[in-house]
């Protein structure tokens, strides 16, 4: 660990949201040149803490000190002027403004004379900054809305780096990035730390942070459990600190053999999405877990949507041999064939956040709940919702609670339960454990294993290699739009063998 | 934990469910006193119910669009254009022809609006503004100007305006709409789309079809309302239907239906809202206020009630303190 | 964006813009030439072009003002009522208070500013959805002017003050044209090259992200209201000078006064891939007025088929603007 002076000190930070004690007497010290990881389950208080440090919220009590002097930012801009900048977790670009404006908004003064802003100078400056951090592939003439999600994140990162902060906070930045961009960001972090600056990385990816950070602070239920040196710990130890107990039993499946049923439940033939993936063909068997892995440009996520036939741009066939209608032409065909699809963007394409749990669970099945397809009895809706909540042990105050009040893990439970309580033959899951804390992750793997035993075919699209390795019978690795390799469980999965084809 | 909430089924979780009734009571009491009880006379109550019909009928259709999160400001124009057509054809060919024409105009408008919005992705506010108050009114004027001689309304048409005909029709419509809105998959989908359209799409629902249907229903109900409006008119006036859509929207929003729709959209709110506004209006007339004063009050009422509805729903009673912009930054509850 | 091949660059944005502009004007010229032939050369005569642009002055300046309000995502339907009320207030300052031209300008513009700030307060502090706030304010303002008018009639006066010929400077062609050009330049600079313009557009793009980036939402909306109100005030002065009187209306009829400008703002948004927003507003205003002018020349009566055409144009532009739109549209 690079030791330096203390650059940021937090003392007894407390923050309440109604009755929730989100940050409970948090005291931490950050040194110059240090890469600190902050990990914790959903609801542990990481995002609250980071938003207090970067000026987006005020603590209810406690003090902060920057370079020994009292530090109480009134806004993110105020924090930046104190040398602390942050890349937020949610997407933070203005889609209808150009990239230079996105980068320099709030700091246009340097380009303005008598109130008039010199946009050409701003553009050149933006270009320079992007190239300085190796992110020059972005075209500064573009509107931020034209960029891919990854490139938008890179723009945000440039913006945060550009002010040459003493402390850089990255909240879940690598979640949205493919491996190559992830490596780029890691390099940026290391270079930054070399210059005796501090980087605070908030993440769910334990394996990544153990590699990346010098020290790791674990939060649980709003309190600091401990701060350990990365070199002296292991991911498993971190995970137990996060949950507060030793991980019992197996996280993933224990069998080393692949198993599957006899019948093909879903068959994909020459599925092509021009510009994204080509001629993908495979069969999914009953009771089989088939995983797809790849970088963000491999096309794995778009493949899932194409199988669901939700856009109408894909070519090729998706067949359900055991259903009444053999060829799938739209999402309703998948559903009628006993299938389901869960998007990786659960808050956008999965749940209705302001609505209650009851309505969220009911919607996919409302037609089936209706007597004769026409009349829906509120009693039936309540029963279905309550059953789902009970079966999946969703932590909530009742089925009338708005879904947005649940933690990420419980939201995902609601999301899954909507489908898994139906009579399913197969299910397509995209990043099923994204943004989900360890306890619920374990639960989800358990549920999937149970589903497999019941004969349900599962397609699991994931960018978490350990998850694929742990759960799948077969892994199909995609690279730039084609299936590069198919590995079977009995052959033995290794991360190396997957990574070498993935990149 | 789960059984606890079942005991308190009527927990005031959602202020928007209670506010409309509260406001209704306040208005009733206030005007009961101000008009010295005159407002409760059988004569005035009959007038109230009479006048409520058009707003209720059109509102029963518009609420589907509002539940989706869309906007439909065509009812006034449908009333004008459809109204003129209905009047002329109804006088010549009878009641059934009148209904047919009105439904045709309303339905065609709704269908067009639905397709333009759902298929061609034009924002519903813009599209309904262009199709309704702009284009349809133009058509209405065309029809009006094509009339050389005066057409007198037939007694048959006027008879639609009587209770024996109106009441059964309205009640039947109400039953059908309540079923459609609250107890059919279609109704659930409409409200779900208002909550999160993408989520509903990804659940395998043909959102486009649902939206078009919702606009169609809205248009058809505007058509129904048009017939009732025409039967009360004494002649063809250019001002037929002006401000009608505002009445309908006010009735819906004043009663606490969120502007973005969703599960907060409920039929009973429309009914409460319509009567609240009507008592307000009638009460003011009985108190001797003039037309422009009444409009002034309506405007202020609209603003106050929506303010109350939005604030109470988001923050509870403490939110009422925030009347003026404060320098303090508000805390946002971050996940 | 072609994520499968990140190194493939799209054609320069500028080139596409120029091509778009060229195509746009080419089609426009073609249509104009055809109409000119159909009207025996009267359409493109100097006199007629002057008429078209004269009509475009009010709607374009009003639209510039609206752009400082609408681009932040605030839909204000009371602007028509504000024009009505403010111009009458200006006349009161000019005649009843005997302040002449300064009174006219001061009264109108000040009134617009105060009213627009109230509208902004309703939306920003009271959190009333903007279009409902607009409707409410329109009802109140119309009623206020109507009460004032009734009062005047009761005292034996005309329903509203009529402007006398010696005060009609702002209704003369050279002044109107100059104002339009000046307003265009000022609006262009303010919208594209100043902090307030950037902030308003940022809020319009994504209000919460803009705030996280340091944009002061409340302050920006209030400043936008003031800037917009100044343009609206100028437009009102021009309108009253041209018309000499603006009568009170009720029942939200005042909205029709802003339809043309609203259409221009919407059209400009739909062609914003080709034209910068402010330029788009100017172009849209002129094109719109020319369309109405052509229709009148071809015998299509206003108030009937012309409004139908306006409606159709808005719908078609809306469709064209949203062709590639895959997102959720309400």
């Amino acid at each position: 660990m690079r030791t330096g002076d203390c650059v940021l000190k937090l003392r007894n930070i407390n923050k309440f949201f109604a009755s929730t004690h989100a940050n409970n007497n948090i005291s931490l010290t950050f040194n110059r040149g240090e890469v600190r990881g902050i990990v914790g389950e959903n609801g542990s208080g990481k995002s609250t803490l980071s938003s207090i440090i970067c000026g987006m919220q005020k603590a209810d009590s406690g003090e902060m000190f920057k370079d020994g002097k009292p530090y109480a930012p009134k806004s993110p801009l105020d924090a930046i002027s104190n040398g602390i900048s942050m890349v937020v977790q949610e997407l933070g670009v203005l889609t209808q403004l150009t990239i230079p404006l996105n980068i320099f908004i709030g700091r246009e003064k340097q380009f303005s004379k008598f109130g008039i802003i010199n946009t050409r100078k701003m553009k050149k400056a933006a270009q320079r900054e992007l190239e300085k951090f190796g992110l020059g592939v972005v075209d500064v003439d573009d509107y931020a809305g034209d960029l891919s999600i990854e490139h938008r994140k890179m723009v945000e990162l440039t913006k945060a780096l550009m002010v040459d902060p003493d402390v850089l906070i990255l909240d879940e930045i690598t979640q949205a990035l493919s491996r190559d961009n992830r490596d780029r960001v890691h390099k940026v972090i290391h270079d930054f730390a070399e210059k005796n600056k501090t980087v605070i990385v908030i993440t769910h990816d334990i394996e990544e942070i153990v590699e990346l950070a010098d020290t790791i602070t674990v939060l649980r239920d709003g309190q600091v459990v401990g701060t350990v040196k990365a070199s002296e710990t292991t991911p498993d130890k971190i995970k137990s600190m996060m949950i507060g107990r030793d991980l019992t039993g197996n996280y993933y499946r224990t069998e080393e053999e692949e198993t599957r049923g006899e019948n093909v439940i879903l068959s994909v033939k020459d599925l092509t999405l021009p510009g994204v993936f080509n001629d993908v063909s495979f069969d999914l068997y009953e009771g089989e877990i088939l995983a797809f892995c790849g970088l963000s440009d491999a096309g794995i996520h778009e493949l899932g949507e194409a199988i669901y036939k939700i856009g109408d741009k894909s070519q090729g066939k998706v067949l359900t041999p055991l259903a009444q209608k053999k060829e799938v032409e739209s999402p309703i065909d998948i559903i009628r064939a006993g299938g389901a699809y869960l998007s990786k963007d659960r808050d956008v394409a999965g749940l209705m956040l302001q609505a209650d749990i009851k309505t969220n669970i009911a919607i996919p099945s409302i037609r089936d709940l209706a007597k004769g397809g026409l009349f829906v009895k509120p009693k039936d809706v309540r029963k279905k919702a309550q059953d789902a909540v009970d079966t999946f042990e969703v932590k909530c105050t009742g089925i009338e609670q708005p879904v947005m009040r649940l933690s990420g893990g419980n939201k995902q439970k609601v999301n899954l339960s909507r489908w898994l309580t139906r009579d399913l033959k197969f299910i397509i899951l995209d990043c099923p454990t994204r943004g989900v804390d360890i306890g619920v992750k374990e639960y989800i793997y358990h549920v999937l294993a149970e589903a497999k035993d019941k004969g349900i075919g599962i397609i699991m699209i994931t960018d978490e290699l350990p998850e694929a390795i742990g759960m799948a019978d077969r892994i199909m690795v995609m690279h730039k739009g084609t299936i590069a390799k198919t590995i079977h469980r009995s052959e033995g999965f290794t991360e190396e063998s997957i990574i070498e084809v993935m990149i | 934990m789960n059984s606890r909430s079942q005991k308190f089924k009527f927990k005031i979780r959602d202020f928007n469910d209670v506010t409309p009734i509260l406001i209704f009571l306040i208005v009733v009491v206030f005007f009961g006193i101000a008009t010295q009880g005159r407002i409760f006379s059988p004569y005035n109550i009959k007038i109230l119910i009479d006048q409520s019909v058009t707003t209720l009928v059109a509102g029963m259709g518009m609420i589907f669009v509002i539940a989706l999160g869309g906007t439909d400001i065509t009812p006034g124009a449908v009333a004008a254009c459809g109204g003129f057509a209905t009047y002329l054809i109804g006088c010549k060919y009878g009641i059934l022809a009148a209904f047919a024409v009105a439904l045709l105009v309303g339905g065609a408008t709704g269908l067009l609006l639905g397709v333009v919005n759902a298929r061609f992705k034009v924002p519903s506010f813009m599209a309904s503004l262009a199709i309704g108050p702009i284009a349809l009114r133009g058509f209405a004027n065309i029809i009006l100007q094509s009339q050389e001689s005066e057409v007198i309304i037939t007694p048959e048409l006027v008879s639609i305006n009587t209770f024996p005909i109106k009441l059964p029709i309205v009640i039947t419509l109400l039953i059908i709409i309540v079923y459609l809105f609250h107890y059919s998959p279609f109704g659930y989908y409409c409200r779900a789309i208002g909550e999160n359209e993408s989520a509903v799409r990804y659940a395998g629902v043909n959102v486009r079809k649902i939206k078009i249907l919702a606009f169609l229903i809205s248009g058809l109900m505007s058509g129904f309302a048009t017939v009732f409006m025409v039967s009360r008119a004494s002649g063809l006036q250019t001002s037929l239907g002006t401000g009608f859509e505002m009445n309908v929207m006010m009735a819906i929003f004043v009663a606490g239906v969120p502007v973005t729709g969703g599960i907060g959209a409920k039929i009973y709110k429309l009914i409460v809202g319509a009567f609240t506004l009507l008592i307000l209006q009638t009460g003011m007339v009985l108190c001797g206020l003039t037309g422009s004063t009444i409009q002034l009050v309506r405007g202020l009422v609209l603003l106050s009630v929506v303010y109350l509805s939005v604030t109470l729903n988001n923050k509870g009673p403490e939110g009422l303190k925030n009347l003026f912009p404060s320098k303090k930054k508000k805390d946002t509850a971050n996940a | 964006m072609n994520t499968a091949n990140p190194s493939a660059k799209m054609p320069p944005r500028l080139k596409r813009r120029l091509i778009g502009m060229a195509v746009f004007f080419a089609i426009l010229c073609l249509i104009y030439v055809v109409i000119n032939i159909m009207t025996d050369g009267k359409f493109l005569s100097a006199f007629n072009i002057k008429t078209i642009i004269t009509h475009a002055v009010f709607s374009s300046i009003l639209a510039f003002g609206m752009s400082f309000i609408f681009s932040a995502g605030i839909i204000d339907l009371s602007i028509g009522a504000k024009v009505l009320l403010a111009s009458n207030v200006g006349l009161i300052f000019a005649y009843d208070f005997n302040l002449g031209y300064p009174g006219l300008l001061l009264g109108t513009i000040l009134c617009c500013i105060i009213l627009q700030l109230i509208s902004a307060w309703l939306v920003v502090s009271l959190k009333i959805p903007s279009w409902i706030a607009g409707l409410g304010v329109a009802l109140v303002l119309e009623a206020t002017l109507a009460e004032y008018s009734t009062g005047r009639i009761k005292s034996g006066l005309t329903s509203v003050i009529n402007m006398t010929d010696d005060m009609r400077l702002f209704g003369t062609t050279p002044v109107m044209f100059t104002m339009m050009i000046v307003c265009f330049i000022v609006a262009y600079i303010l919208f594209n090259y100043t902090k307030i313009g950037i902030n308003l557009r940022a809020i319009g793009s994504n209000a919460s992200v803009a705030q996280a980036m340091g944009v002061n939402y409340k302050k920006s909306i209030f400043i936008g209201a003031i800037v917009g109100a100044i343009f609206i005030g100028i437009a009102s002065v021009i309108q009253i000078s041209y018309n000499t009187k603006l009568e009170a209306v009720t029942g939200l009829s005042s909205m029709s006064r802003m339809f043309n400008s609203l259409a221009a703002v919407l059209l400009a948004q739909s062609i914003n891939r080709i034209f910068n927003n402010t330029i788009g507003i100017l172009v849209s205003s002129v094109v719109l007025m020319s369309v109405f002018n052509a229709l009148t020349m071809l015998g299509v009566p206003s108030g009937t088929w012309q409004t139908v055409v306006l409606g159709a144009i808005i719908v078609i532009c809306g469709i064209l603007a949203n062709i590639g739109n895959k997102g959720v549209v309400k």
Side-chain angles (χ1 to χ4, degrees), chain B residues 75-92:
Chain B
V78 167
C81 183
F84 294 159
T86 306
Y87 189 93
L88 296 170
I89 304 233
C91 289
K92 268 207 229 161

Side-chain angles (χ1 to χ4, degrees), chain A residues 15 17 47 55 57 74 305 308 310 332 335 347-352 354-355 363 366 374-376 378 386 390 396-397, chain B residues 1-2 5-6 9 13 179 183-185 188-189 192 195-196 198-204 263 329 331-335:
Chain A
K15 179 78 185 163
F17 289 122
S47 282
Q57 299 199 67
K74 299 193 217 79
E305 291 197 344
Y308 195 43
I310 187 143
I332 193 75
I335 293 178
D347 286 349
V348 168
L351 297 172
M352 300 176 286
Q354 309 235 331
I363 286 291
I366 199 97
L374 289 176
F375 194 87
V376 179
Q386 192 62 56
D390 292 336
C396 62
T397 63
Chain B
M1 198 163 33
N2 293 330
S5 68
Q6 272 164 352
K9 242 194 241 185
R13 173 184 77 88
Y179 154 70
Y183 297 99
S184 75
Y188 270 88
Y189 288 146
E195 292 286 340
N196 183 344
S198 287
V200 179
R201 220 178 110 234
Y202 273 83
I263 52 179
K329 209 169 8 107
D331 281 336
T332 46
N334 246 325

